[in-house]
Amino acid sequence: MTANADGAPKARVVHEAHEVDTFHPPQKMLEKHPKKPHLSGIEEYQKLYKESITQPDQFWGRLARELLTWHKDFNTVRSGSFQTGDVAWFLEGELNASYNCIDRHAFKDPNRVAIIYEADEPSDGRTVTYGELLRQVSKVARVLQEMGVRKGDTVAVYMPMVPEAIVAVLACARIGAIHSVVFAGFSSDSLRDRILDAGSRVVITSDEGKRGGKLVGTKKIVDEALRQCPDVKNVLVFKRTGADIPMTPGRDVWWHEEVEKWPAYLPPTPVNSEDPLFLLYTSGSTGKPKGVMHTTGGYLVGAAATGKYVFDVHDGDRFFCGGDVGWITGHSYVVYAPLLLGVSTVVFEGTPAYPNFSRYWDIIERHSITHFYVAPTALRLLKRAGDHHVHGDMKHLRVLGSVGEPIAAEVWKWYFEVVGKEEAQVIDTYWQTETGSHTIAPLAGVIPTKPGSASLPFFGIEPAIIDPVSGEEKHGNDVEGVLTFKQPWPSMARTVWGAHQRYLDTYLNVYKGYYFTGDGAGRDHEGFYWIRGRVDDVVNVSGHRLSTAEIEAALLEHPAIAEAAVVGVADELTGQAVNAFVSIKDGNEASDALRKDFILQVRRSIGPFAAPKAVYIIPDLPKTRSGKIMRRILRKVLAGEEDQLGDMSTLSNPGVVDKVIEVVHEAR
Ligand code: WTA
């Protein structure tokens, strides 16, 4: 296969008995390219990839020095291993993340646009230059110092998608503090748990948020959370809407009043490469969210390297990632990758449906966006809304990225044809909160793609497919199994905050010597990877990662619920949807009102985005004799496969199955 687009853009290859289209980087994309892609073609990728695997010290040492500015150079590129769970990169090196994201670009060209702010109301936006960003970040960093924040302290950030959220994050980094951003869709209970787990003593927030024309009581949620966080000493409040909100004297201060006090330049604090840059909480297969910890040097190298090679970012590009800064996609591809590379990044506060379904396309058109990056769930929504909403020629688009969940072939094609007019390359990027940056993804302009496949591994990523039954690695092509990585890469998470053993047990001890992703995958006859989805109890709803155990724990907080089992079911719009089965305590009657109350319980406990789409009340849950809930039976019934329930000999209460079938049928 060649990567060059000479000839027809599509070639047909046969993949297992069915045909799959292979798409080469479109010729028109290469024609509108400001220069040339960073790599000359797939052969150069193969050469560099080989070097990254066989001589990682040489490869990453070179990239780390090329992509970042180090306050002090490193001598050791990497140490540690998966076996011992002590991976570290660029060990003696010192650097500062905010310096790398801001200062070095601001010194060269202070007027270059760093942030394109697209407010919820299309008329309210503005831009922030690198010079202005440096001033704002310096001031807020100084405010944090005044509050007693020091290197190594964690700061909670609970903000809507406004430029100040990025300022807050980089202000932490400037003084060596660890940012812990909590997605502003989380409830006060979830925020409280994250503040307590991280031990944050300062919270940065806003009076309100504004999304899709609706107001969100951001500060109110913080106030509720803080009732049970006695160690929080200060709250810095950015005025977004000017709502009349209560301020707790001695604790809460206004952002605009504090920044006025301090000079517009604060020198960055150099930190060690392995000093933590941030925590980001994510769901796993057990109830309690994990504070995934990323370090400074390795994480930044991963963000910059994938920005440069996967997205093929060049000077002057305008990058629009629709992810929220509360998730890893926002961290790596709204904030770090574009700013490290010195280009303009869009901070979008709103939703793809407000004020109408053309919002994304209007933004792309208005700002001559070159790169657009979004989760398939948004694309499914917009595809369903109708092609007439897609207007404007969006002629600067070169790369259309997809992230967070599998993209179905027909959505991929819609993205390519209707949005990209066949002049931009669609790249499906596979990665995780824990991987920090892309792990399997095509390099734009270089690697051909197949709809539904994340294609080939990024530099330094050595995938291995493991047979889940035998635990043995499957070599060669045309294999299926669970996806693992065989050697450490710079931007991998180093630990789970305060729970290193849990980190080892979740990622490194499942298959000794390998990093376990939790996903199933196939490697086709050409070595392309196809992600099949989670093999654990994680569900993916609209690209949001949720744990069934965490939702079950939330339901069990309701006084009327005796037992709960949550499963993910396929959903046309959201990819997967959460369905809950509950049994209720004596003295309660099944009713619609009760079901609504259960849904409300999850909204209150986790956040609206985790709310079950359906709740089924049944007398008893199907359980094994040892008391384990058999979720497989619930899944099968929901999928309409009640004739394929499989082995039920271990069920302690077989009679309950008919009841499950009856309740599900009644509800439909
Ligand atoms: C899933 C999001 C298929 C996967 C960046 C992974 C994907 C989880 C893809 C991580 C993709 C991510 N195709 N599935 N291109 N990208 N996933 O931590 O199950 O929010 O394990 O990171 O999303 O979700 P997280």
Side-chain angles (χ1 to χ4, degrees):
M1 193 181 301
T2 60
N4 293 330
D6 43 10
K10 295 177 200 176
R12 287 191 172 263
V13 294
V14 177
H15 168 63
E16 290 168 359
H18 62 273
E19 284 202 337
V20 175
D21 290 332
T22 293
F23 291 74
H24 291 278
Q27 186 60 42
K28 288 223 169 106
M29 166 220 200
L30 299 172
E31 281 165 13
K32 63 177 141 177
H33 202 288
K35 288 183 179 151
K36 275 184 188 156
H38 289 295
L39 301 184
S40 58
I42 196 161
E43 295 77 18
E44 194 179 358
Y45 156 76
Q46 282 158 341
K47 198 174 118 238
L48 286 170
Y49 177 73
K50 193 165 167 220
E51 187 200 358
S52 75
I53 298 299
T54 58
Q55 291 165 287
D57 287 14
Q58 176 182 307
F59 179 86
W60 288 116
R62 185 176 71 235
L63 247 68
R65 292 189 178 100
E66 231 172 70
L67 294 167
L68 302 181
T69 305
W70 296 80
H71 178 76
K72 182 172 158 240
D73 195 18
F74 49 88
N75 302 321
T76 313
V77 174
R78 62 171 192 161
S79 78
S81 72
F82 286 165
Q83 271 80 9
T84 43
D86 55 351
V87 170
W89 287 83
F90 317 115
L91 277 77
E92 305 79 4
E94 289 181 12
L95 75 171
N96 179 279
S98 88
Y99 177 88
N100 274 278
C101 287
I102 315 169
D103 304 38
R104 54 183 187 156
H105 313 306
F107 297 156
K108 243 197 284 175
D109 180 7
N111 295 325
R112 185 186 291 186
V113 172
I115 295 173
I116 300 168
Y117 170 41
E118 267 289 328
D120 194 45
E121 293 302 332
S123 52
D124 289 350
R126 64 191 152 86
T127 56
V128 181
T129 63
Y130 275 94
E132 176 62 20
L133 188 59
L134 180 55
R135 290 188 285 276
Q136 287 192 31
V137 166
S138 289
K139 282 167 167 283
V140 174
R142 185 67 184 76
V143 172
L144 293 175
Q145 280 184 338
E146 200 62 21
M147 292 173 167
V149 178
R150 297 288 175 267
K151 177 171 177 281
D153 291 346
T154 68
V155 173
V157 178
Y158 189 75
M159 298 270 282
M161 278 295 281
V162 290
E164 288 71 17
I166 282 80
V167 172
V169 157
L170 294 172
C172 292
R174 194 155 191 88
I175 57 173
I178 306 167
H179 55 80
S180 172
V181 183
V182 179
F183 173 55
F186 274 113
S187 68
S188 59
D189 284 6
S190 292
L191 174 61
R192 173 202 61 206
D193 292 348
R194 285 155 176 76
I195 291 172
L196 290 175
D197 189 79
S200 306
R201 282 201 284 260
V202 167
V203 180
I204 308 180
T205 189
S206 66
D207 51 355
E208 287 187 313
K210 212 162 172 252
R211 226 174 147 252
K214 295 195 191 93
L215 294 172
V216 186
T218 315
K219 172 66 162 52
K220 195 164 156 257
I221 297 169
V222 171
D223 285 338
E224 267 164 38
L226 293 191
R227 274 197 223 138
Q228 291 166 59
C229 301
D231 292 339
V232 171
K233 299 283 176 261
N234 281 119
V235 180
L236 182 62
V237 187
F238 171 71
K239 187 178 271 194
R240 167 62 185 90
T241 63
D244 187 16
I245 52 153
M247 297 286 278
T248 303
R251 187 193 73 182
D252 303 351
V253 291
W254 285 108
W255 171 301
H256 60 275
E257 289 175 5
E258 294 308 304
V259 296
E260 274 196 356
K261 299 176 184 166
W262 306 109
Y265 177 77
L266 179 82
T269 305
V271 303
N272 183 274
S273 170
E274 278 297 309
D275 277 330
L277 177 61
F278 67 86
L279 304 183
L280 188 57
Y281 284 81
T282 189
S283 297
S285 41
T286 54
K288 206 171 168 285
K290 298 185 286 253
V292 168
M293 187 191 96
H294 281 286
T295 58
T296 308
Y299 172 81
L300 294 180
V301 168
T306 51
K308 175 169 177 182
Y309 292 106
V310 175
F311 281 114
D312 188 41
V313 164
H314 286 255
D315 260 1
D317 280 345
R318 290 156 307 274
F319 199 94
F320 175 14
C321 166
D324 190 285
V325 72
W327 305 108
I328 192 68
T329 304
H331 279 64
S332 301
Y333 301 104
V334 174
V335 185
Y336 285 107
L339 296 182
L340 285 168
L341 297 170
V343 299
S344 308
T345 185
V346 173
V347 171
F348 178 40
E349 189 178 26
T351 77
Y354 183 81
N356 54 54
F357 289 112
S358 302
R359 187 68 199 270
Y360 278 160
W361 323 129
D362 288 343
I363 295 173
I364 293 172
E365 185 71 9
R366 188 143 28 90
H367 300 291
S368 307
I369 295 299
T370 51
H371 295 72
F372 180 54
Y373 193 35
V374 79
T377 191
L379 299 174
R380 287 192 293 266
L381 175 84
L382 297 171
K383 177 172 182 283
R384 198 162 82 169
D387 293 1
H388 57 286
H389 294 289
V390 190
H391 52 63
D393 54 10
M394 301 187 274
K395 63 177 187 303
H396 294 90
L397 277 177
R398 302 202 308 275
V399 182
L400 295 169
S402 171
V403 57
E405 32 165 358
I407 178 165
E410 74 275 7
V411 178
W412 195 105
K413 285 187 179 151
W414 182 81
Y415 204 18
F416 179 63
E417 287 163 10
V418 178
V419 178
K421 323 276 188 280
E422 305 193 20
E423 293 185 6
Q425 188 174 4
V426 173
I427 59 166
D428 178 4
T429 61
Y430 167 77
W431 58 296
Q432 312 175 300
T433 305
E434 296 87 340
T435 69
S437 51
H438 302 144
T439 51
I440 299 181
L443 308 188
V446 173
I447 292 182
T449 54
K450 307 179 192 185
S453 165
S455 83
L456 301 175
F458 188 65
F459 301 133
I461 300 293
E462 191 179 8
I465 302 282
I466 290 190
D467 180 334
V469 179
S470 67
E472 297 295 317
E473 185 177 339
K474 291 180 159 183
H475 296 277
N477 285 344
D478 263 332
V479 288
E480 288 281 335
V482 295
L483 179 63
T484 64
F485 301 138
K486 252 169 122 163
Q487 59 169 298
W489 63 100
S491 70
M492 67 177 286
R494 302 294 194 261
T495 195
V496 170
W497 191 247
H500 192 66
Q501 190 59 42
R502 191 168 168 209
Y503 166 83
L504 299 177
D505 291 344
T506 310
Y507 307 108
L508 304 181
N509 289 343
V510 184
Y511 301 103
K512 213 60 192 157
Y514 299 85
Y515 166 89
F516 175 50
T517 61
D519 285 299
R523 182 165 54 222
D524 74 12
H525 66 297
E526 289 175 312
F528 274 52
Y529 288 86
W530 299 75
I531 307 300
R532 309 289 184 212
R534 302 289 302 198
V535 296
D536 52 12
D537 293 324
V538 170
V539 282
N540 193 325
V541 179
S542 298
H544 292 158
R545 186 167 153 182
L546 302 169
S547 142
T548 55
E550 197 181 339
I551 300 171
E552 286 166 7
L555 285 166
L556 288 172
E557 286 171 24
H558 194 286
I561 294 184
E563 287 187 300
V566 165
V567 294
V569 290
D571 186 277
E572 209 191 314
L573 202 59
T574 57
Q576 280 187 302
V578 169
N579 277 202
F581 289 85
V582 298
S583 63
I584 50 181
K585 290 183 188 157
D586 287 347
N588 293 288
E589 274 298 320
S591 67
D592 279 346
L594 199 56
R595 268 185 286 272
K596 276 205 190 110
D597 208 41
F598 294 161
I599 293 173
L600 199 66
Q601 175 67 37
V602 179
R603 294 175 68 98
R604 264 198 306 264
S605 178
I606 303 177
F609 60 94
K613 193 169 176 190
V615 175
Y616 303 101
I617 300 178
I618 48 175
D620 199 8
L621 296 173
K623 268 176 272 168
T624 62
R625 283 193 205 98
S626 58
K628 259 187 101 173
I629 298 171
M630 287 179 81
R631 292 180 177 73
R632 169 178 56 101
I633 291 180
L634 305 174
R635 268 189 223 108
K636 288 271 180 195
V637 173
L638 286 173
E641 295 170 356
E642 50 236 38
D643 51 337
Q644 304 163 36
L645 294 180
D647 181 15
M648 296 204 290
S649 58
T650 56
L651 259 184
S652 69
N653 49 355
V656 78
V657 176
D658 285 339
K659 193 68 196 168
V660 171
I661 295 173
E662 189 190 311
V663 170
V664 169
H665 280 212
E666 257 173 31
R668 282 179 176 167

